[in-house]
Amino acid sequence: MSDATPHPTGDSAPAMDELTVAAPSEAAPQGTARTQVVVTLGVGLATFVAGSMLHAFIATGEVIGVATIAGYLLSPAILAWLVALLVLATLVRRMAATAIAWFAIGAAALIGLVGGALVTGGAFALGPVPILPIWYASGLTGAAIVGALAGIVYRRRDPRRRTGWFAAALVCLAAGATLALALPMLSFSVYFSLDGPQMPTVDEIHRYEFAALGSLSLLAVAAVLALIGRRRGMAALAGAALVLALGAALAFPIPQGRFTPHEQAPALENTHVCFGTSGDCPGG
């Protein structure tokens, strides 16, 4: 028996599976799916930390410390998502790449939504339109989406195909989405305070402009980079995020009414200037 690996030709050659780059005579290794889970988890957590730091800097102008970052990572929502993916990593062997990605995203959305409901008002927050829980869950869900994309591309990697364009597009997508999520919070901090609506300061206006322009620019760049890298699905995702970011910028402007045309007062014509000492004013 020869140890040489046969090289099928013609119709007997197996098709290249998108999920793996394996030898023709063997299936994908059992560790491939588990590695995807680990990559999804690692990139997701890194995105969550980086996004939280950028979000806090836009909101307050300060860089959060290590203790605050540790508090984020030890929050119940993050720990629950971590446990869910670790359990999946111990059980999964040949699970499809898309199934793992949807599990990670769905688990993050569910955990974030329930955690947001408990933090922002208990079960009553899960009303017809649970705005606050959805906003609370958006950070973890967004990080899970970025991690899921990275995990899929890692598992479907092809040595003949460069992933630099994808990596750059992924970074721009994560940063742009983070800035877009900061827009509602910036508006709420100005117009929904306990002391009533406040007039925005120059610094708050500049933060809004930075977040709005930064999110739109980064998401547009992400879409272009994804198209260059021939990642049409990611380009569509970046395009959808760009539309949502534009909607957030228009829906939460600082100051209010900056995109609404103001009616100018009608010009007064044929008016007679009256001086108190001229004697020609009505009434003397």
Side-chain angles (χ1 to χ4, degrees), residues 1-258:
M1 179 179 294
S2 175
D3 295 333
T5 302
H7 299 280
T9 58
D11 295 338
S12 63
M16 179 66 68
D17 191 341
E18 286 186 351
L19 300 182
T20 58
V21 181
S25 61
E26 63 181 80
Q30 293 184 359
T32 302
R34 292 177 178 176
T35 305
Q36 179 190 353
V37 176
V38 174
V39 171
T40 300
L41 180 60
V43 174
L45 290 178
T47 302
F48 183 82
V49 171
S52 299
M53 295 178 65
L54 179 59
H55 194 276
F57 179 77
I58 293 297
T60 63
E62 299 178 356
V63 179
I64 60 178
V66 177
T68 304
I69 295 176
Y72 287 154
L73 293 176
L74 295 177
S75 63
I78 292 295
L79 292 178
W81 188 62
L82 175 64
V83 170
L85 289 189
L86 289 179
V87 170
L88 180 66
T90 59
L91 300 177
V92 69
R93 286 183 177 272
R94 300 181 185 274
M95 190 174 182
T98 52
I100 293 176
W102 282 116
F103 176 87
I105 297 172
L110 179 61
I111 292 171
L113 187 62
V114 174
L118 296 176
V119 170
T120 58
F124 294 101
L126 293 174
V129 184
I131 296 177
L132 290 178
I134 290 176
W135 183 85
Y136 183 88
S138 60
L140 179 57
T141 305
I145 292 175
V146 174
L149 289 173
I152 287 181
V153 170
Y154 179 83
R155 183 170 176 181
R156 294 178 176 177
R157 68 192 184 280
D158 187 343
R160 300 168 300 178
R161 189 177 183 182
R162 296 181 179 180
T163 58
W165 293 112
F166 168 80
L170 193 64
V171 172
C172 291
L173 175 63
T178 300
L179 292 176
L181 288 174
L183 292 172
M185 192 194 67
L186 290 174
S187 180
F188 291 157
S189 64
V190 175
Y191 298 109
F192 295 90
S193 63
L194 296 177
D195 298 330
Q198 305 291 326
M199 290 297 296
T201 63
V202 175
D203 183 59
E204 289 170 336
I205 294 176
H206 288 169
R207 290 179 188 173
Y208 163 82
E209 294 172 346
F210 176 82
L213 294 176
S215 64
L216 296 177
S217 301
L218 287 170
L219 292 174
V221 170
V224 172
L225 293 177
L227 289 175
I228 294 176
R230 298 180 181 180
R231 307 283 182 177
R232 290 173 293 181
M234 187 173 184
L237 179 62
L242 179 62
V243 173
L244 294 176
L246 179 60
L250 296 177
F252 303 99
I254 298 177
Q256 289 182 342
R258 66 180 300 161

